[in-house]
């Protein structure tokens, strides 16, 4: 065992002597991986060369997803001018968030090489619980949303327990719940006090998530907080590494990332601050005996669902990247047997990812209901799950486990929404839906192929 490996083993109280032998047996691969991803000493040019080497070695991360997103936006903008209107831009923000929330939960499951086929209908069951309490019991929004989230946690624990303790493969147990939850959702929606079937959401707070916007000043404040927070994290991380005598991210690269985030964030806030109402034509109305022009209400500002998305994104990114739990999760996903011998509680990790997945499915279910102002079985069918899985994989999360970040769900969700929205504006008539499914399926197939080829290339290069 090399000197570089020993501190990593001895500094972690969870690793015993048997674990040290196991870590030693896989040490060469771990060191190669760390060497490929850690900041290199030198300036910006050295950093760029190292990044290019990582990409050539198969570690492409979110690069394919970002490239695909840019290409798709350019293509649809040129092919159909209505695609890049402010109205359509605002619609994509609210319509795609439900899928992104569910995809964020699926990232945890995919990191272990597992799958959660029940996530779509878990979202539906949780939303049904919320709307039944609101519509039939007149429960306040806080209690109703809390019950929906708790339902998601209970469902996730049950799925995770069956997978970890009973050893039922996740494909089978979640497929069983996928089938059963269709019936559970229909039963909740078709029984009990209040409206049945397609149950309308009347609560103003829940409807506001996807149908109301922040004040303009609040949007700019949110942008400043995001940019300032990102810059503070980057600078703090670089200074911390340098205090420990380690290579930090070059100032040029760090500054470029901050500038890119600032440019993207401020552009999005500016566009969302424009009036995106379809009808802006004033009408003459008699007010106090005088005819005056009355303009329709303006629709502008950052939707309230965006800060919710940002808060959860920051929370889960911190959990994965800055905590022992996150390190254990990646370890189990990378090599379960090595993680078990290292003293990591594999079963608890496996149960926890299904709890997080179902919790985020509940959040996604609430947001989908808010967007369409109702809860019905049609809004949470098989497409909901498939789009969420597609979003996570297209964004860069590996189907084989051990590789993925929370940003993958957002990038992949944006790609899926652009495909769906773009094909809808480009292809009209009865063939619109068929083209949507075909293009989305091809995008998912391409992402899975890139993932498989990248892992093979990384294995050949000694990086996986």
């Amino acid at each position: 065992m090399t000197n570089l490996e020993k501190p990593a083993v001895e500094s972690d109280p969870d690793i015993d002597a048997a674990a040290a032998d196991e870590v030693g047996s896989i040490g060469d691969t771990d060191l190669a991986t760390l060497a490929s991803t850690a900041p290199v000493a030198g300036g910006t040019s050295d950093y760029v060369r190292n990044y290019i080497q990582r990409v050539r070695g198969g570690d492409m991360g979110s690069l394919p997803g970002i490239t695909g997103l840019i290409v798709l936006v350019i293509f649809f903008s040129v092919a159909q001018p209505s695609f890049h209107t402010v109205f359509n831009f605002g619609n994509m923000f609210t319509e795609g968030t439900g899928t992104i929330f569910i995809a964020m939960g699926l990232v945890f499951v995919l990191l272990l090489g597992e799958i959660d086929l029940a996530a779509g209908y878990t979202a539906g069951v949780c939303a049904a619980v919320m709307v039944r309490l609101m519509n039939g019991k007149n429960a306040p929004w806080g209690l109703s949303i809390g019950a929906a989230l708790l339902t998601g946690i209970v469902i996730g624990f049950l799925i995770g327990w069956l997978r970890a303790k009973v050893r039922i493969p996740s494909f089978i147990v979640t497929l069983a719940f996928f089938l059963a939850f269709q019936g559970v959702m229909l039963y909740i929606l078709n029984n009990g006090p209040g409206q049945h079937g397609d149950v309308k959401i009347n609560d103003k707070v829940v409807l506001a998530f996807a149908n109301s916007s922040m004040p303009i000043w609040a949007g700019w404040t949110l942008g400043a907080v995001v940019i300032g927070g990102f810059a503070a994290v980057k600078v703090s991380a670089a200074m911390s590494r340098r205090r420990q005598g380690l290579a930090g991210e070059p100032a040029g690269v760090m500054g470029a990332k901050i500038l890119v985030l600032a440019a993207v964030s401020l552009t999005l806030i500016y566009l969302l601050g424009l009036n995106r109402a379809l009808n802006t034509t004033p009408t003459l109305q008699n007010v106090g005996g005088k005819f005056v022009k009355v303009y329709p209400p303006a629709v502008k500002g950052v939707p309230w669902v965006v800060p919710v998305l940002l808060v959860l994104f920051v929370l889960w990114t911190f959990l994965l990247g800055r905590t022992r739990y996150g390190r254990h999760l990646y370890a189990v996903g990378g090599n379960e047997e090595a993680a078990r011998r290292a003293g990591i509680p594999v079963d608890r990790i496996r149960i926890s990812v299904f709890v997080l997945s179902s919790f985020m499915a509940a959040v996604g279910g609430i947001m989908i209901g808010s967007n369409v102002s109702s809860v019905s079985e049609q809004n949470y069918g098989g497409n909901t799950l498939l789009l969420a899985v597609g979003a996570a994989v297209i964004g860069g999360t590996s189907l084989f486990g051990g590789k993925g970040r929370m940003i993958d769900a957002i990038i992949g969700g944006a790609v899926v929404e652009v495909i769906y929205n773009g094909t809808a504006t480009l292809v009209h008539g009865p063939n619109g839906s068929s083209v949507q499914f075909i293009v989305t399926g091809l995008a998912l197939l391409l992402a899975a192929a890139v993932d498989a080829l990248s892992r093979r290339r990384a294995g050949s290069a000694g990086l996986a």
Side-chain angles (χ1 to χ4, degrees):
M1 185 176 292
T2 66
N3 291 333
L4 182 58
E5 290 168 336
K6 288 180 180 178
V9 175
E10 294 172 357
S11 63
D12 192 336
D14 292 335
I15 300 180
D16 55 16
D21 293 336
E22 180 66 24
V23 173
S25 67
I26 61 172
D28 292 339
T29 300
D30 289 346
L31 290 174
T33 303
L34 289 172
S36 69
T37 56
V40 295
T44 302
S45 59
D46 297 313
Y47 183 94
V48 172
R49 280 196 297 270
N50 183 55
Y51 176 75
I52 293 174
Q53 290 175 355
R54 287 163 48 196
V55 171
R56 288 178 176 176
D59 182 17
M60 292 191 288
S62 300
L63 182 60
I66 295 174
T67 303
L69 178 62
I70 295 173
V71 171
L72 287 169
V73 169
I74 293 174
F75 170 77
F76 286 123
S77 297
V78 173
Q80 180 56 265
S82 63
F83 174 80
H84 59 266
T85 60
V86 178
F87 169 78
N88 195 51
F89 176 71
N91 269 355
M92 285 192 289
F93 251 87
T94 54
E95 290 175 355
T97 50
T99 298
I100 292 176
F101 282 118
I102 300 175
M104 289 170 71
L106 288 171
V107 167
F108 289 103
V109 174
L110 293 173
L111 280 172
L112 294 192
E114 305 282 359
I115 190 65
D116 185 359
L117 298 177
Y121 277 114
T122 296
V125 169
C126 296
V129 168
M130 177 192 71
V131 79
R132 175 55 62 215
L133 290 174
M134 285 181 174
N135 192 286
K137 303 291 187 178
N138 295 319
W141 66 269
L143 176 61
S144 300
I145 291 178
L149 298 177
L150 180 61
T151 300
I153 291 173
V154 172
I155 289 173
F157 179 82
L158 180 58
I159 294 175
W161 185 84
L162 290 172
R163 171 65 186 96
K165 300 300 185 181
V166 186
R167 305 298 183 191
I168 304 175
S170 59
F171 179 87
I172 300 300
V173 68
T174 58
L175 177 61
F177 277 93
F178 169 84
L179 298 172
F181 283 167
Q182 296 182 60
V184 173
M185 182 182 181
L186 287 172
Y187 183 86
I188 295 174
L189 294 177
N190 293 324
N191 293 275
Q195 188 179 4
H196 292 166
D198 186 359
V199 183
K200 301 298 180 183
I201 297 177
N202 298 318
D203 187 87
K204 294 181 179 179
V205 174
V206 176
L207 291 175
F209 287 127
N211 296 286
S212 297
S213 300
M214 305 171 67
I216 300 299
W217 65 265
W220 289 110
T221 302
L222 177 65
V225 170
V226 169
I227 298 167
F230 179 77
V233 169
K234 282 292 182 182
V235 172
S236 175
M239 293 177 63
S240 175
R241 289 185 63 84
R242 290 192 175 100
R243 282 196 300 268
Q244 299 173 33
L246 302 173
E249 197 171 51
V253 174
M254 187 165 46
K257 290 181 177 180
I258 295 171
L259 287 175
V260 169
L261 176 67
V264 173
S265 300
L266 297 179
T267 300
L268 294 179
I269 293 170
Y270 169 76
L271 293 175
L272 290 171
L274 300 176
N275 185 9
R276 53 185 184 271
L278 284 177
N279 181 20
T280 58
T281 304
T283 58
L284 288 175
Q285 295 185 16
N286 191 336
V287 179
K290 295 181 179 180
F291 285 96
V292 296
K293 287 184 178 180
V294 177
Y295 289 85
V299 179
K300 55 184 179 180
V302 177
W304 281 107
V305 70
V306 173
V308 178
L309 178 63
L310 288 175
V311 168
L312 289 172
F313 168 73
V314 171
L315 175 63
W316 300 142
T317 298
F318 177 83
L319 183 69
L320 286 177
R322 301 282 181 174
T323 66
R324 173 174 291 188
Y325 171 81
R327 294 192 294 273
H328 286 180
L329 179 56
Y330 281 108
V332 174
N335 190 324
E336 179 180 331
E337 185 57 30
R340 191 185 305 277
R341 295 190 181 187
I344 295 175
V346 174
D347 285 350
R348 276 188 284 175
I349 295 292
R350 179 164 282 113
I351 292 173
S352 70
V353 298
F354 285 101
V355 171
L356 290 169
S357 177
S358 295
F359 174 83
M360 289 305 297
V363 176
I366 294 169
M367 296 306 172
I368 292 173
S370 174
N371 182 53
V372 299
S373 303
S374 66
V375 176
S376 65
E377 192 272 338
Q378 290 81 4
N379 294 326
Y380 300 89
N383 295 339
T384 302
L385 166 70
L386 298 178
L387 292 177
V389 173
V393 175
I394 290 171
T397 299
S398 175
L399 286 166
F400 302 96
K403 189 182 76 172
R405 300 174 301 166
M406 206 49 58
I407 190 65
D408 297 341
I410 295 180
I411 294 172
V415 172
V416 169
E417 180 57 29
V418 166
I419 292 174
Y420 251 60
N421 190 282
T423 52
T425 58
L426 188 61
V427 182
H428 299 283
N431 293 325
S433 296
S434 60
V435 173
Q436 286 178 332
F437 291 132
I438 291 172
V439 175
T440 306
L442 291 175
L444 176 57
L445 181 63
L446 178 61
V450 169
D451 179 29
L453 294 174
S454 297
R455 290 182 67 88
R456 183 184 304 175
R457 190 174 183 86
S460 301
L463 302 178

